[in-house]
Amino acid sequence: MILAVADLASNPTHAARRHFMVEPVAEIAEAARLLGTACDAHLAGKYNHAAELIAIADMPKIAAWSELLWGKVTPDICRRRHVPGAPPIVPKAERHAPRMPGRVLEREVLARDGFHCRFCGIPLIRSKVRARLRMFYPESLRWGDRNVDQHAAFQAMGLIVDHILPHSRGGATTLDNLIAACGPCNCARGENTLDEVCLFDPRDRPPVPPNGWDGLERVLGLPEPKPVPSCEFP
């Protein structure tokens, strides 16, 4: 959704370029550390410890950060401005196909971007990984229909393959127009171009080094639980 244009005349700072809309909270990095340790504990058969760590990573401060971007994004955050000559919304029948990348192209994007958001830099987790972990820990990794009923860290760190030039504005689903992004950054930008929301082009700076973060992909090699391990905390 394209938001109302911010009043740049009354607040010139809105026109300043930035890398992201809202700086990530420190708790996201801590949650990533906890979730990585939880995966290691699970692989070692320490199921109670893994469940406890996943539950601890569900932090209210992360939920509050996400809500700034998931919710009704304010003009102060979006800073949308009118850009003469910006690409218009393209009728659905005339947009590039396909809309989303296939497996091969998605792997190329992730190999380049290293499971980190190219905008705000936070670690990312694919929905497939979240679903696999939730098979083992449905109580610790809550996932309801509403934002408030979802695990804060997994929600904030949810990986989206995003179009630099939005698909709805004529963007193609090609490697040079795709980046890895977190759900909140993707949602807050919506159908706006980078110029319209005063964002630097993330392709002009290198991806965040992986630093050992694999998006918790190592859990995908696990068989489905049978039965689900007991996860009662001591």
Side-chain angles (χ1 to χ4, degrees):
M1 179 178 180
I2 299 179
L3 304 180
V5 177
D7 185 357
L8 300 180
S10 63
N11 193 344
T13 61
H14 281 179
R17 292 274 184 170
R18 61 233 168 109
H19 293 300
F20 42 75
M21 293 186 179
V22 179
E23 184 174 2
V25 293
E27 284 77 8
I28 296 176
E30 174 61 12
R33 186 190 68 79
L34 290 168
L35 293 176
T37 304
C39 285
D40 293 339
H42 179 86
L43 292 171
K46 300 177 181 178
Y47 304 124
N48 285 350
H49 187 46
E52 185 174 13
L53 292 173
I54 292 171
I56 293 172
D58 189 5
M59 301 179 186
K61 287 187 178 181
I62 299 177
W65 176 80
S66 296
E67 193 59 29
L68 290 173
L69 299 162
W70 282 122
K72 187 176 180 181
V73 184
T74 65
D76 185 60
I77 289 175
C78 187
R79 300 187 192 175
R80 185 173 183 270
R81 62 180 180 175
H82 173 67
V83 177
I89 297 291
V90 176
K92 288 186 178 181
E94 300 175 17
R95 297 175 187 176
H96 290 279
R99 181 179 182 276
M100 297 307 295
R103 291 182 180 180
V104 173
L105 183 52
E106 181 183 39
R107 283 198 295 268
E108 291 178 346
V109 172
L110 298 182
R112 181 196 65 201
D113 295 348
F115 292 97
H116 283 81
C117 178
R118 291 296 297 271
F119 289 114
C120 70
I122 69 171
L124 301 175
I125 303 169
R126 289 197 298 158
S127 60
K128 187 175 182 179
V129 172
R130 182 195 71 229
R132 176 54 60 90
L133 279 171
R134 192 164 183 268
M135 289 181 180
F136 291 94
Y137 304 103
E139 294 183 6
S140 297
L141 206 172
R142 61 197 182 92
W143 201 257
D145 294 331
R146 302 182 303 163
N147 290 349
V148 70
D149 298 324
Q150 295 175 358
H151 189 288
F154 280 93
Q155 184 196 82
M157 298 163 67
L159 189 153
I160 302 291
V161 178
D162 192 13
H163 293 76
I164 291 292
L165 176 62
H167 185 256
S168 63
R169 309 289 289 273
T173 304
T174 57
L175 181 60
D176 63 345
N177 192 47
L178 295 175
I179 58 168
C182 68
C185 281
N186 170 268
C187 181
R189 182 166 75 102
E191 295 181 321
N192 296 297
T193 67
L194 299 181
D195 283 343
E196 286 171 338
V197 290
C198 305
L199 288 173
F200 288 114
D201 191 329
R203 297 170 299 185
D204 292 339
R205 59 186 186 274
V208 175
N211 294 325
W213 178 258
D214 70 342
L216 311 181
E217 295 280 312
R218 56 192 181 276
V219 307
L220 293 180
L222 300 174
E224 294 185 8
K226 46 177 190 181
V228 175
S230 173
C231 296
E232 295 181 1
F233 300 164

